[in-house]
Amino acid sequence: MPLSEIDITRGIIEDFTEEFTGSLQMDVAVIGGGPSGITCAYYAARKGLKVVVFEKKLHVGGGMWGGGMLFPRIMVQEEAVDIPREYGVNMRPRGGYYIGSSVEFVAKSVASAVDAGSRIWIGMTVEDVVIREEDRVAGVVINWGAVEAAGLHVDPLALEAKVVIDATGHETSIARTLQRKQPGPQINTETGEVIGEKSMWAEMGEREIVENTKEIHKGLLVCGMAANAVYGSPRMGAIFGGMLLSGRKAAELAAGIVKESQGN
Ligand code: 48F
């Protein structure tokens, strides 16, 4: 059979899209493919949970590859050695610890997590979480890592997860995001102080955006996402109806202000 570029392209697009669409709702979303994330994914998948690991870089492994100061070795203590051994890593006793190759550790731990049934998506960054009633984290807001790296303005997509796990290492990026955004600080309606948007909740964000579209300072209106940011309302992702309604309301308010000024 002659090679067909189109068949190859179609295969790649269709196969990943099928898997992606089948994972819009997960049991567990693990953010970060370092040793903790991969191990978490392995054990969660072994319990029969539907698990996806999101890794913003092109490769998983996190801080495992470099061992210590680029010496490619990983040491573990007695209590933990059963884990790499379960992955099939050759761990040798040394000075009261156990030591093995960091490269072997990455390869075998990742293979074990995949074999256990977890999915691992590379090049995807989690930039926020989805929030539901009582401030419960209910999913992840994702984008391509390349989009983030290029600083492009591209709206993300959202996925649901029963549990979200921040395994982002020293960055602690998900917990920091949550800390920054939840619970929202008190709104200063007098000054319209900019307090920042909350995490994603499309329905609430869309509902509040029109209400938040108002004059926050004499002569200054806010509309669109700026309005939700000023009043600490949620973001809503790639839905644009609220933006349109907000823009229209702002135009009406502006027209009223202009008319009033002309009357004086
Ligand atoms: O840093 P990392 O290896 O975290 P870990 O599993 O392990 C820490 C050790 O490697 C080492 C240590 C042990 O002595 O201190 O540093 O706690 O892996 C974290 C992964 O998360 C990715 C990041 O690229 C890395 O591969 N990551 C970070 N933020 C995001 C992310 C994000 N917002 N979305 C997706 N991936």
Side-chain angles (χ1 to χ4, degrees):
M1 188 175 87
L3 289 178
S4 157
E5 290 87 352
I6 294 305
D7 285 347
I8 294 164
T9 301
R10 184 180 293 114
I12 288 172
I13 293 174
E14 287 183 354
D15 194 76
F16 180 69
T17 305
E18 280 164 21
E19 185 181 327
F20 192 55
T21 312
S23 300
L24 300 182
Q25 293 168 302
M26 298 155 269
D27 292 319
V28 182
V30 179
I31 325 306
S36 68
I38 293 296
T39 300
C40 172
Y42 170 75
Y43 284 104
R46 286 281 303 265
K47 292 179 192 301
L49 297 172
K50 192 171 173 185
V51 184
V52 177
V53 177
F54 299 85
E55 169 54 55
K56 69 179 177 181
K57 294 188 178 151
L58 270 186
H59 58 268
V60 283
M64 275 191 284
W65 293 102
M69 210 194 92
L70 286 181
F71 292 96
R73 291 288 179 274
I74 284 191
M75 282 186 105
V76 301
Q77 57 278 55
E78 176 84 44
E79 306 87 273
V81 74
D82 62 303
I83 298 173
R85 284 188 169 157
E86 197 166 329
Y87 297 148
V89 181
N90 176 23
M91 299 299 290
R92 301 162 318 265
R94 188 170 191 108
Y97 300 86
Y98 293 84
I99 194 160
S101 154
S102 63
V103 175
E104 185 184 353
F105 195 105
V106 174
K108 290 184 174 171
S109 62
V110 172
S112 300
V114 171
D115 288 348
S118 52
R119 289 173 169 150
I120 301 178
W121 293 340
I122 43 101
M124 281 191 202
T125 191
V126 174
E127 57 172 63
D128 202 348
V129 294
V130 175
I131 289 290
R132 287 287 178 268
E133 284 84 0
E134 296 172 352
D135 279 344
R136 184 181 167 76
V137 172
V140 289
V141 179
I142 61 169
N143 216 325
W144 297 114
V147 164
E148 184 190 44
L152 301 178
H153 183 167
V154 178
D155 276 328
L157 292 174
L159 309 180
E160 279 181 10
K162 296 193 181 97
V163 183
V164 174
I165 296 169
D166 183 341
T168 62
H170 300 288
E171 293 181 47
T172 328
S173 57
I174 308 307
R176 282 184 203 282
T177 298
L178 200 64
Q179 185 189 40
R180 204 174 67 242
K181 296 188 172 187
Q182 301 287 335
Q186 293 305 302
I187 300 161
N188 187 337
T189 45
E190 291 301 308
T191 63
E193 182 191 358
V194 179
I195 59 176
E197 71 194 28
K198 278 193 185 171
S199 296
M200 189 182 287
W201 185 352
E203 190 185 317
M204 191 62 77
E206 288 282 283
R207 201 186 304 159
E208 292 187 353
I209 197 165
V210 177
E211 166 64 21
N212 292 337
T213 300
K214 55 181 87 166
E215 187 177 27
I216 59 165
H217 193 92
K218 279 275 174 222
L220 179 65
L221 291 163
V222 274
C223 74
M225 265 324 291
N228 276 11
V230 163
Y231 289 103
S233 292
R235 60 191 296 191
M236 67 289 284
I239 184 165
F240 288 83
M243 301 301 148
L244 307 182
L245 293 170
S246 169
R248 187 168 67 187
K249 180 179 172 186
E252 285 162 7
L253 291 173
I257 294 168
V258 170
K259 199 170 170 190
E260 201 180 316
S261 70
Q262 284 168 343
N264 292 336

